[in-house]
């Protein structure tokens, strides 16, 4: 007893839906031949535009401008995708070329932005390191000063204690000498 959910209608049963690939066009003879011809023409224009596209030259040009091999490959892939999209949409070679130029400029801009962000991050890290080093140096000086202050406070207290003990001993000795000599305390 499995509960079955109702299926949604297939894409071909929806009204005004134009199939985008030949596999979605029914082969039972009910589809008009014009759809197959349009699709074949689109594929032929894609093939023609891809023949004129030199992806290796595009990748070399990117590498010549300082981009990495991965970035150059990404730019070539973007150019290929753009050429396919333009050809499928029915744009001509001039529009494909302009679109490729815009795409390659966009890739270069994103690379420049990425490298600038990395440089900014390195600079910020250097500044943080310098501030941390400065703070640690000041903390070490403060700690040393505190230890020196503590030592001087201890030394001063010891000196006062010894002075007072010495003064008390002097008073006792003086009192004992007076007593021996017969002087009376007044």
């Amino acid at each position: 007893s499995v509960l079955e959910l109702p299926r949604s209608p297939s894409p071909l049963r929806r009204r005004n839906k134009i199939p985008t690939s030949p596999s979605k066009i029914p082969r039972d003879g009910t589809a008009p031949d014009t759809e197959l011809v349009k699709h074949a023409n689109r594929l032929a224009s894609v093939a023609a535009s891809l023949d004129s596209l030199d992806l290796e030259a595009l990748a070399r040009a990117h590498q010549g401008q300082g981009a990495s091999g991965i970035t150059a490959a990404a730019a070539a892939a973007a150019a290929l995708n753009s050429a396919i999209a333009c050809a499928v949409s029915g744009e001509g070679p001039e529009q494909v070329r302009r679109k490729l130029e815009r795409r390659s400029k966009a890739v270069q801009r994103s690379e420049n932005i990425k490298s600038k962000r990395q440089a900014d991050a390195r600079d910020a890290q250097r500044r943080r390191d310098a501030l941390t080093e400065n703070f640690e140096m000041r903390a070490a000086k403060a700690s040393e000063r505190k230890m020196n202050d503590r030592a001087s406070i201890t030394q001063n207290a010891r000196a006062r204690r010894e002075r007072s003990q010495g003064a008390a001993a002097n008073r006792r000795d003086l009192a004992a000498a007076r007593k021996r000599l017969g002087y009376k305390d007044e």
Side-chain angles (χ1 to χ4, degrees):
S1 80
V2 175
L3 180 66
E4 286 190 28
L5 297 173
R7 292 187 194 177
S8 63
S10 73
L12 292 178
R13 290 187 185 158
R14 291 186 206 148
R15 291 189 178 164
N16 299 330
K17 178 71 176 167
I18 298 173
T20 55
S21 71
S23 62
K24 292 182 182 177
I25 298 174
R27 301 276 186 233
D28 58 1
T30 59
D33 290 337
T34 57
E35 291 297 324
L36 289 173
V37 172
K38 282 183 187 178
H39 200 293
N41 286 337
R42 276 194 203 132
L43 290 177
S45 68
V46 168
S49 68
L50 293 180
D51 284 342
S52 64
L53 187 62
D54 189 8
L55 295 176
E56 290 178 10
L58 182 66
R60 281 193 304 273
H62 271 282
Q63 282 183 323
Q65 294 174 356
S68 67
I70 293 173
T71 306
L80 180 64
N81 290 338
S82 178
I84 291 171
C86 288
V88 168
S89 67
E91 296 176 351
E94 185 60 32
Q95 289 135 341
V96 170
R97 187 186 59 75
R98 273 192 246 128
K99 199 169 205 176
L100 288 177
E101 287 174 356
R102 281 194 304 266
R103 181 73 62 112
S104 68
K105 286 179 184 178
V107 168
Q108 287 175 350
R109 274 194 308 272
S110 67
E111 275 297 311
N112 290 340
I113 289 171
K114 184 178 177 183
S115 66
K116 186 177 180 191
R117 284 182 183 164
Q118 288 173 346
D120 290 346
R122 285 191 298 267
D123 290 343
Q125 183 62 39
R126 280 191 212 110
R127 284 192 302 271
R128 279 192 299 271
D129 291 344
L131 287 173
T132 302
E133 185 178 322
N134 186 16
F135 177 76
E136 288 173 352
M137 183 179 63
R138 290 170 61 192
K141 282 183 181 178
S143 176
E144 184 179 333
R145 207 172 30 245
K146 186 175 180 180
M147 292 300 290
N148 288 340
D149 289 349
R150 191 176 290 155
S152 67
I153 289 171
T154 305
Q155 196 174 19
N156 288 342
R158 184 179 301 126
R160 273 193 305 257
R161 193 171 47 247
E162 289 173 356
R163 246 192 330 249
S164 66
Q165 287 172 351
N170 284 340
R171 283 192 302 271
R172 280 192 304 270
D173 290 343
L174 189 60
R178 282 185 179 164
K179 194 172 184 182
R180 264 187 315 219
L181 294 174
Y183 290 109
K184 289 190 176 185
D185 290 332
E186 297 175 20

